[in-house]
Amino acid sequence: EDQVTQSPEALRLQEGESSSLNCSYTVSGLRGLFWYRQDPGKGPEFLFTLYSAGEEKEKERLKATLTKKESFLHITAPKPEDSATYLCAVQAGTGGFKTIFGAGTRLFVKA
Amino acid sequence: DAGVTQSPTHLIKTRGQQVTLRCSPISGHKSVSWYQQVLGQGPQFIFQYYEKEERGRGNFPDRFSARQFPNYSSELNVNALLLGDSALYLCASSPSQGAYGYTFGSGTRLTVV
């Protein structure tokens, strides 16, 4: 069964304290892996798409990497405004076009 | 440019009733997907439509149905509402049915009492 697991569930950091979020996945035929940011009461906001193992993408303080079994979202020198829930999702190549989300990591950055 | 718009923003319904949620995608986007998000969980895939045809369906009962119109807008219908259907319903659009990042709307908060 296709599955996406994110860890940790919650992460508390001091401003400037770099860390990584993990997304492990089990799918048949990965079409793409996505990272989203979600603020309370809003829809997810697209950050990155990764298509194949070894691929990396960066945006400001965020860097996403992909291996055959997991993806990492690295946050360098976070600021309080980076506080949000970060969601990982995969689109599988079987069973039609279905996108499976993980439960997310809630990130809290304290000034 | 207008983003993905959903209506209504909030809705309260009684058990057993039916509800219709509406979504307008970004101009030029031909694919629309629907998700259900319960508090504290990630979105769960319900449907994907592309060029007015259903291209993907999640593990939801037949009480859930959807359609896409010629202008690419979409409706999600839920019949015989249950208390467990209370959730945030999200619509997302993308240019096509490939592995693109979606643009999400702000959702419709449905409460079933």
Side-chain angles (χ1 to χ4, degrees):
Chain A
E1 182 183 345
D2 297 334
Q3 198 167 2
V4 177
T5 303
Q6 292 189 245
S7 62
E9 290 185 9
L11 182 62
R12 297 181 183 274
L13 300 174
Q14 288 292 129
E15 184 173 3
E17 180 186 1
S18 301
S19 188
S20 295
L21 313 182
N22 177 263
C23 170
S24 62
Y25 62 91
T26 305
V27 294
S28 301
L30 179 71
R31 289 178 177 267
L33 184 142
F34 311 93
W35 283 98
Y36 291 87
R37 168 192 171 130
Q38 187 173 27
D39 293 298
K42 295 187 177 181
E45 175 190 349
F46 171 72
L47 295 173
F48 304 108
T49 305
L50 301 167
Y51 293 103
S52 58
E55 191 173 358
E56 298 182 352
K57 289 197 176 169
E58 286 188 68
K59 179 180 179 180
E60 297 180 356
R61 295 178 292 281
L62 300 176
K63 179 180 177 180
T65 61
L66 180 64
T67 71
K68 288 187 177 180
K69 292 185 177 181
E70 59 191 350
S71 177
F72 293 93
L73 184 65
H74 307 279
I75 303 177
T76 302
K79 299 181 178 181
E81 54 262 41
D82 294 323
S83 297
T85 295
Y86 290 84
L87 296 163
C88 171
V90 297
Q91 190 178 85
T94 59
F97 291 87
K98 181 167 64 173
T99 301
I100 303 161
F101 277 82
T105 293
R106 288 175 293 160
L107 175 66
F108 304 93
V109 182
K110 186 176 179 181
Chain B
D1 287 340
V4 176
T5 57
Q6 293 188 244
S7 62
T9 55
H10 296 84
L11 201 53
I12 299 175
K13 288 287 190 177
T14 303
R15 275 180 301 174
Q17 285 189 316
Q18 176 265 341
V19 68
T20 298
L21 310 181
R22 294 175 176 82
C23 172
S24 294
I26 288 176
S27 177
H29 283 194
K30 298 181 178 180
S31 177
V32 169
S33 300
W34 287 94
Y35 296 82
Q36 180 195 68
Q37 188 174 27
V38 175
L39 195 63
Q41 297 294 320
Q44 284 211 9
F45 173 76
I46 309 176
F47 288 109
Q48 185 188 30
Y49 276 77
Y50 175 67
E51 290 285 13
K52 302 178 286 294
E53 290 187 6
E54 182 184 303
R55 298 303 180 101
R57 173 185 284 254
N59 297 325
F60 280 80
D62 292 342
R63 300 184 294 109
F64 289 76
S65 63
R67 55 181 176 168
Q68 186 177 33
F69 298 99
N71 66 353
Y72 302 109
S73 67
S74 179
E75 288 182 350
L76 176 70
N77 295 285
V78 187
N79 293 323
L81 286 167
L82 303 173
L83 295 179
D85 294 331
S86 296
L88 179 68
Y89 288 84
L90 295 162
C91 173
S93 75
S94 65
S96 75
Q97 64 179 2
Y100 297 100
Y102 294 123
T103 301
F104 280 83
S106 294
T108 294
R109 172 70 62 186
L110 173 64
T111 302
V112 182
V113 297

